[in-house]
Amino acid sequence: MNAADLGLPVAVPSTALFTDRYELTMVQAALRAGTADRRSVFEVFTRRLPEGRRYGVVAGTGRVLDAVENFRFDPGVLEFLADRGIVDEPTLAWLAGYRFRGDIWGYPEGEVYFPGSPVMRVEGTFAECVLLETVILSILNHDSAVAAAASRMAVAAGGRPLIEMGARRTHELAAVAAARAAYVGGFATTSDLAAGFRYNIPTVGTSAHAFTLLHDSERDAFRAQVDSLGGGTTLLVDTYDVPTAVRMAVEIAGPELGAVRIDSGDLLLLAHRVRQQLDDLGARKTKIVVTSDLDEYAIASLAAAPVDAYGVGTQLVTGSGHPTCSMVYKLVARADAADPDAPLTPVAKKSMGGKMSVGGRKWAARRVDADGVAEAEVVGTGPVPEELADRQLLVELVRGGEVVAREPLDAARDRHIAARAGLPLSATQLSKGEPVLPTEYA
């Protein structure tokens, strides 16, 4: 199945330069030393979760698969590398034929993870794998951070719909990725049309304060919007005086008015007052949408308010204070020779300052208690214990350079809901704490 089969209409350009210079200079040196073709295993993991977070959310896997497929050094890129003297001629010749022909395994998108979880494992020759480090990390670190924030907000919302509306608060391309990650984490819709076009995420949106200010009166603005979009539209009622606007909105659209949006002020107080006013006017089915720089804590504070949906922007696309997951990409095993059958030797960085890593090609499984609730993340390098054989977390994503695990985005979204439900109840607490599951090494 390719991107077109999933209804993804935008082609991904070459990702070959979404990398750091030293990836290419390492390849050059390894080619000259005769070590570039040694079979190697790299793993993506984080040593710790962002402060106070109870779990992480894997997001961006589908984008990684696109990036790996499109990691190609076309003539223009090769010319740039040659003109700048970044690598020598033999390396340029090698890059011209580059295709990733290795294997990738990883936690499926939407799954939760913990410190030490081998979120992704990349296997192949050293040269073909090391080139992918930066692009894989940039995607997983960004998307997983947004998805984790989205998941916390979804928990706080208690089943009420969440609207992603942060496109104007981040880079224009990051906005599309953020909308995708937010959808995986539990958001229902996005305001970003590029995300809707690229990933088939439902889009929503009606009007801003500028539309009201454009007209000679608020009544004229409401009338124009209702005439154009129908009575089921959402009217923004906090440009001037909220009670006056709510009354006018119902007069113009009728009691079947779709929704009103409140974007400023004391949202808790206003939501109660607006709900009472709508009910008194006979608009009992009219919904209330609140926006205004929300995060998971603000959403939780509105749990008792008669709010029907939340629109979230800045805090979502910036990971609600944690814009990265601090994932790293480390060599954990390599062969002593270029022979494809040469045995793998575990390798690991040893350093001060908490940057040590654990060597060896790893598996991961989630142990559950008698009630089926997760109780530990188990990571090992040897044989998988029989009792954990059917609880393994890594799935095959790429085999021999061919993507084998593309899936609709809704599958990742559904998986996350199920994975989160399988965690202890304390995972949903917004108060700061340690990871909800310990990581055990077997």
Side-chain angles (χ1 to χ4, degrees):
M1 180 178 291
N2 59 34
D5 294 329
L6 293 177
L8 308 181
V10 180
V12 177
S14 170
T15 51
L17 291 185
F18 292 167
T19 190
D20 290 303
R21 177 168 173 154
Y22 79 169
E23 315 290 6
L24 273 66
T25 55
M26 281 191 286
V27 168
Q28 176 177 307
L31 287 169
R32 181 171 296 186
T35 54
D37 289 334
R38 288 186 176 184
R39 189 160 61 102
S40 301
V41 180
F42 287 83
E43 288 176 352
V44 177
F45 63 93
T46 185
R47 297 183 176 94
R48 64 191 67 84
L49 297 181
E51 183 181 359
R53 295 290 169 88
R54 304 298 181 93
Y55 61 91
V57 181
V58 177
T61 307
R63 296 207 309 119
V64 167
L65 299 181
D66 288 341
V68 170
E69 274 194 335
N70 290 280
F71 205 95
R72 305 281 188 270
F73 292 85
D74 57 36
V77 170
L78 293 170
E79 183 179 359
F80 163 76
L81 297 176
D83 289 347
R84 299 296 178 90
I86 292 173
V87 292
D88 59 18
E89 287 297 330
T91 306
L92 287 171
W94 185 89
L95 292 175
Y98 177 84
R99 300 291 186 273
F100 179 74
R101 296 181 174 87
D103 303 325
I104 299 178
W105 290 68
Y107 280 37
E109 191 158 19
E111 183 58 84
V112 296
Y113 71 89
F114 299 91
S117 296
V119 169
M120 188 167 285
R121 190 174 71 218
V122 182
E123 305 183 34
T125 67
F126 173 82
E128 68 180 335
C129 293
V130 76
L131 285 180
L132 300 177
E133 174 181 6
T134 302
V135 70
I136 287 177
L137 287 180
S138 66
I139 292 171
L140 293 181
N141 268 314
H142 173 269
D143 290 23
S144 297
V146 174
S151 179
R152 286 163 59 85
M153 292 173 188
V155 167
R160 297 169 181 173
L162 290 157
I163 306 163
E164 185 282 314
M165 47 195 304
R168 62 192 61 192
R169 300 293 189 236
T170 188
H171 184 279
E172 66 272 16
L173 298 182
V176 182
R180 182 187 183 281
Y183 190 71
V184 170
F187 274 58
T189 55
T190 179
S191 66
D192 189 77
L193 289 178
F197 182 66
R198 178 69 177 88
Y199 297 114
N200 200 31
I201 300 170
T203 60
V204 296
T206 52
S207 68
H209 293 102
F211 185 77
T212 301
L213 296 170
L214 166 70
H215 292 81
D216 295 337
S217 69
E218 194 168 42
R219 179 177 294 276
D220 289 344
F222 286 179
R223 173 59 66 190
Q225 184 173 327
V226 171
D227 286 348
S228 174
L229 302 178
T233 191
T234 299
L235 294 174
L236 182 58
V237 296
D238 72 325
T239 305
Y240 304 118
D241 178 69
V242 172
T244 300
V246 170
R247 183 177 65 255
M248 195 182 308
V250 176
E251 287 176 4
I252 293 170
E256 300 305 315
L257 172 64
V260 296
R261 178 162 74 96
I262 308 169
D263 187 52
S264 59
D266 185 333
L267 298 179
L268 179 62
L269 177 63
L270 286 172
H272 280 285
R273 288 180 173 175
V274 169
R275 180 74 270 159
Q276 183 62 56
Q277 186 180 9
L278 287 170
D279 291 348
D280 291 343
L281 293 169
R284 296 183 177 277
K285 294 182 180 179
T286 299
K287 298 183 183 301
I288 298 175
V289 180
V290 297
T291 51
S292 187
D293 205 25
L294 300 176
D295 62 9
E296 59 266 50
Y297 302 103
I299 292 169
S301 72
L302 294 167
V307 172
D308 297 287
Y310 306 90
V312 190
T314 303
Q315 293 301 318
L316 174 64
V317 299
T318 58
S320 195
H322 297 289
T324 180
C325 302
S326 299
M327 290 182 182
V328 294
Y329 184 97
K330 296 299 180 183
L331 180 67
V332 296
R334 52 88 173 167
D336 294 328
D339 183 349
D341 297 322
L344 290 170
T345 300
V347 294
K349 176 180 179 179
K350 295 181 180 179
S351 69
M352 304 294 287
K355 285 195 171 184
M356 293 180 62
S357 56
V358 178
R361 182 180 184 273
K362 299 175 194 66
W363 52 265
R366 190 161 298 146
R367 191 173 69 240
V368 300
D369 63 18
D371 296 318
V373 178
E375 62 179 12
E377 193 88 339
V378 185
V379 177
T381 57
V384 180
E386 184 176 348
E387 66 273 15
L388 294 176
D390 63 348
R391 303 292 305 174
Q392 294 190 70
L393 292 164
L394 280 84
V395 300
E396 191 176 25
L397 301 172
V398 176
R399 182 193 309 135
E402 297 294 325
V403 173
V404 297
R406 274 209 174 84
E407 61 183 5
L409 197 56
D410 280 326
R413 176 185 170 87
D414 293 343
R415 181 181 295 115
H416 176 62
I417 293 171
R420 191 176 62 206
L423 297 176
L425 283 176
S426 56
T428 62
Q429 293 177 337
L430 294 182
S431 57
K432 291 185 177 181
E434 297 300 314
V436 72
L437 295 187
T439 302
E440 300 177 358
Y441 289 93

